[in-house]
Every structure is written in structure tokens, then in C-alpha cells.
Amino acid sequence: MIKRWFQNIGPGTLVAAAFIGPGTVTLCTLAGVNFGFNLLWAMLLSVIATIVLQEMAARLGVISQKGLSEVIREEIKNPFFKQFITFLILAAVVVGNASYEAGNISGGILGLETILGKLIVEIGSISINLMSLLIGVIAFILLYIGNYKFLEKALVTLVLLMSVSFLITAIVTKPNIIGVLKGMFVPRFPEKSLLTIIGLIGTTVVPYNLFLHASLVKERWNKKEDLLSAKKDTIISIILGGLVSMAIIISAAAIQIPNITNAADLAKGLAPLYGEFAKYFLALGLFAAGITSAITAPLAAAYVAKGCLGWKIDLKSKKFRLVWIVILFLGVLFSSIGIKPIEIIKFAQVANGMLLPVIAGILLWIMNKKSVLGKFVNTKTQNMIGFFILAITIFLGAKGILKVFNLI
């Protein structure tokens, strides 16, 4: 049974790998430390929204055999609007992922340093972290091989390692089950929690994942009969990802120590209370989260550039490789010279939550076009759920903007 499950596992796991990066780990840690179990409902809502939107992206990829950015480019007829949307997508995904990449690699470094200690070389007045070079080299090798099935298997292994690490950490803290269930099913808005709620949604329902998923499913499946496999893969993988995020919140809620700013602090905070092995499990999970996102972020950016610019190329082509190499290089550069990732990651996650309504709205529009999907367009129920999710993202995004500018 396990062997068959491994054979059927697919792009959904890469989507889970992409959204559980150091940004998610950091925000979930802060949510647990600052608000206990009270924001678990926001994560549950995020998981449901992610399943709905990613299923649409997967269905689009299987039926049209095109990526989301390719379909957008073809379906928007107005030249000005097409250029504006293309620019918006390129800026948000390619430039955004370049800034995320430093955080992804830095997150992986935090995990390694928790176990191995720091490994820094001084060259003149510049300090270079050799751990970032190690993570960069691993990510480069996996991406450069350019074989989708090999990449998928490598990421699945890392995701399972990450999942087991974080879930064991949560179990070790022996959480109050009634408190956890209340946090999941009774929405609460503690004071000063709004930006954290928006961040949790923005870090789970990630716009670039919609582009990545639509592009990856066509590497794996190319027949209408494959839709059920794609749907199962999406649901199982995203639920697993959601459980991991909730496990981090639950673990962090057990810590009564102030001044926790990232998962490495959480790992150190767990050690005296729950033993050294809790620290090692968490650090291992953080390393896996960093490296999986360090691979998927450049990959997503390359797929988006390919679709937006109309390139007819594959994973091994020079143009495709150039995009992910530039993003990976910037990530390694910024993380190796020690730019602090925590505030950048938090800001980027909130910005992601505000960009989401635009991408989700475009996706819903496309999912109702028979010229693209034929009889596989959204049902009335799918549209109702989709527009409900869109309304929530617009509402939270608007409140977030007002809150940032101190207007509410």
C-alpha cells in the first residue's frame, strides 16, 4: 500500500514543499508563541482555500496542457491589460521569489546551525556563511539535473522528513487536545493578531504555487482520465502540509519564553523543557523546509517567466536554467553575507496575502472559460466556494493595508 502511495504521489507534494518554507515556519512560530492555539482556525481556513484553488490550477494544467501564465497570456486579448497583468505576474513571482530565496536559504541555515553550530569565514571586512553555499550547491545540483521525476522524488523525501520532524515535535509537547480543537474550529481575533492572520493565509495560499502547480501537473499527467489522480494528490499533499503548519503552531504554543523570533529560537526554547531530541527534530524540519523552498521558488519563477514570455522550452534549456540560476545566486549571495531574513520574510508574506486576490480572481475567470477547459469548467458549487475564498482574501487584504498605514 505504501509503495503504491509513493508511486501515485506527484506535484501536490512539491506545492506543499513550496508553501512550508522558512516564512511559514517563522510565522507559525510567532503565531503559536504570541497567540497560543487561537489562530489554528486561520490555518485550517488557509488549507481549505489552498485545496480549492490548487485543484483548479491542477485541473487547468491537466486539461489544457499549459501553465497558468501561458493561458493568461493567450486569453487576455486587450494588449494594454495583457502587458499590465504580465508585468504584475513577472514582478510578483520572479522578483518576489528572488527576495524569498535568501529567506529560504537562511531558514535552512538556521536548522543546520542549531545542530552543527556556525561555519563562517572572514574575508577582509566581509563575513561569509559557508552553510548557505552548501545549501545553494545542493539546490543547484537538483535543479540542474533537469529531470522532473528525479526532482520530484528528492523533494518528496525531504517533505516527508520535514513532516515527520515537525509532527513528532508537536506530539512531544503534549498539547491540550480540547484547546487545539477549540483553536481550530472557533475563530478568534486576539488583539494585534490581524497581520499574523493575513500572514498565515498569505504564506499558505501562495500565488506562485498556482503557477507552479499548473505547470508541473502536465509534466506528470496528460490525459483527462488522470484528473482523479491529480485531485487526490492535491488534497492529500496539502492536508499533510496543513498538519505540518499546525504542528509548528502547537509546538510554539508550548514555549513560555519571550523574545522568540524564529524557529531556531523555538528549537533552543524546546530543548530545556522537552529534551535535546526535540531540538534536533525541529532543526531537521527547519533544514528540510529551507532546502525544499530553496528549490521550488527558483523553479516556479522559471516556469512563470517561460509562460509569460512565450518560451517553448524545457527544464534543460539555457533560458529556463538562467532564470532559476539568477534567483538561486541572489539567494545564496544575500544569505551568505548575513542579511537578516526574519523581518523581510514577514513583510513578504503579508504582501503575498495582498497580491493573492488578483491572481485568484484571474484563475476563477479562466476556470469558467469553455474555450480553455471544455466540459471541465467550474461547477456552480466550485464557483461559489471560489468566490467566497476570493471575498475573504479581498477583505483581509484590505484590512491589512489599512492596518499597515494605521487607518484602523
Side-chain angles (χ1 to χ4, degrees):
M1 184 182 169
I2 292 172
K3 187 179 178 183
R4 194 174 70 191
W5 183 73
F6 265 100
Q7 286 171 343
N8 291 330
I9 208 164
T13 313
L14 275 69
V15 170
F19 80 68
I20 309 173
T24 305
V25 177
T26 300
L27 266 169
C28 289
T29 298
L30 296 175
V33 168
N34 297 326
F35 306 106
F37 302 143
N38 287 327
L39 300 187
L40 283 171
W41 67 268
M43 186 50 63
L44 180 63
L45 177 70
S46 302
V47 169
I48 294 167
T50 304
I51 288 171
V52 171
L53 294 176
Q54 294 295 160
E55 186 279 328
M56 290 183 196
R59 184 163 22 113
L60 177 68
V62 173
I63 298 302
S64 71
Q65 287 295 293
K66 293 172 185 171
L68 178 55
S69 50
E70 291 171 75
V71 176
I72 289 171
R73 193 167 167 272
E74 290 172 9
E75 291 301 314
I76 296 176
K77 306 301 179 189
N78 183 295
F80 171 77
F81 194 52
K82 181 188 286 191
Q83 286 183 347
F84 173 72
I85 292 295
T86 300
F87 171 77
L88 184 70
I89 293 168
L90 280 171
V93 179
V94 178
V95 178
N97 280 10
S99 54
Y100 276 135
E101 190 65 0
N104 291 333
I105 293 170
S106 297
I109 291 168
L110 287 175
L112 283 177
E113 286 181 347
T114 304
I115 299 172
L116 303 174
K118 295 183 184 294
L119 192 60
I120 294 171
V121 173
E122 303 282 344
I123 300 175
S125 59
I126 299 172
S127 297
I128 296 175
N129 193 323
L130 293 181
M131 296 285 195
S132 67
L133 299 178
L134 173 64
I135 290 173
V137 167
I138 294 169
F140 181 88
I141 290 168
L142 289 171
L143 284 165
Y144 195 83
I145 288 168
N147 182 305
Y148 171 71
K149 287 191 174 173
F150 175 81
L151 187 62
E152 186 179 80
K153 283 177 183 174
L155 284 169
V156 165
T157 304
L158 285 165
V159 168
L160 289 173
L161 173 69
M162 170 177 69
S163 304
V164 170
S165 298
F166 285 132
L167 290 170
I168 288 175
T169 305
I171 292 165
V172 162
T173 65
K174 296 177 182 174
N176 180 319
I177 302 300
I178 301 298
V180 169
L181 292 173
K182 275 186 180 176
M184 283 175 67
F185 297 107
V186 181
R188 293 175 192 159
F189 294 83
E191 192 179 347
K192 296 182 180 176
S193 67
L194 181 65
L195 287 183
T196 305
I197 291 168
I198 294 168
L200 287 173
I201 293 171
T203 194
T204 309
V205 196
V206 185
Y208 83 69
N209 270 347
L210 298 172
F211 295 95
L212 181 64
H213 204 176
S215 295
L216 290 178
V217 289
K218 62 189 178 66
E219 302 275 352
R220 178 67 183 263
W221 295 299
N222 52 28
K223 299 192 297 289
K224 293 170 185 176
E225 293 75 28
D226 293 328
L227 272 177
L228 185 59
S229 296
K231 191 172 185 176
K232 280 182 184 174
D233 170 58
T234 301
I235 292 169
I236 292 169
S237 299
I238 291 167
I239 287 174
L240 179 64
L243 286 173
V244 171
S245 296
M246 288 182 186
I248 299 164
I249 294 174
I250 291 165
S251 301
I255 303 297
Q256 303 299 321
I257 302 167
N259 303 321
I260 299 258
T261 58
N262 59 50
D265 292 344
L266 174 58
K268 289 166 189 169
L270 282 172
L273 295 171
Y274 303 104
E276 284 294 309
F277 65 96
K279 178 180 89 170
Y280 290 126
F281 276 123
L282 195 72
L284 204 58
L286 183 59
F287 166 71
I291 201 161
T292 51
S293 292
I295 293 165
T296 51
L299 187 65
Y303 271 121
V304 168
K306 172 181 180 283
C308 284
L309 301 172
W311 296 341
K312 304 295 180 189
I313 53 176
D314 61 16
L315 273 71
K316 293 184 178 180
S317 71
K318 288 180 181 177
K319 286 180 182 175
F320 192 89
R321 281 177 169 166
L322 182 63
V323 176
W324 65 252
I325 284 171
V326 167
I327 287 173
L328 183 59
F329 172 76
L330 289 173
V332 170
L333 178 67
F334 292 141
S335 61
S336 64
I337 59 176
I339 293 176
K340 296 287 181 188
I342 302 305
E343 290 305 317
I344 298 169
I345 289 172
K346 279 173 67 181
F347 175 78
Q349 301 296 354
V350 172
N352 227 9
M354 295 181 189
L355 174 73
L356 179 63
V358 178
I359 306 299
I362 292 170
L363 178 64
L364 277 169
W365 170 66
I366 287 169
M367 295 308 294
N368 284 282
K369 290 184 78 70
K370 287 193 174 181
S371 59
V372 178
L373 289 153
K375 67 177 183 178
F376 295 98
V377 291
N378 275 359
T379 62
K380 285 182 181 176
T381 305
Q382 286 169 325
N383 276 332
M384 281 173 62
I385 297 169
F387 281 111
F388 177 67
I389 291 167
L390 180 61
I392 290 172
T393 60
I394 291 169
F395 171 72
L396 289 174
K399 284 193 81 170
I401 292 167
L402 294 173
K403 184 79 175 173
V404 167
F405 292 104
N406 296 315
L407 297 174
I408 56 169

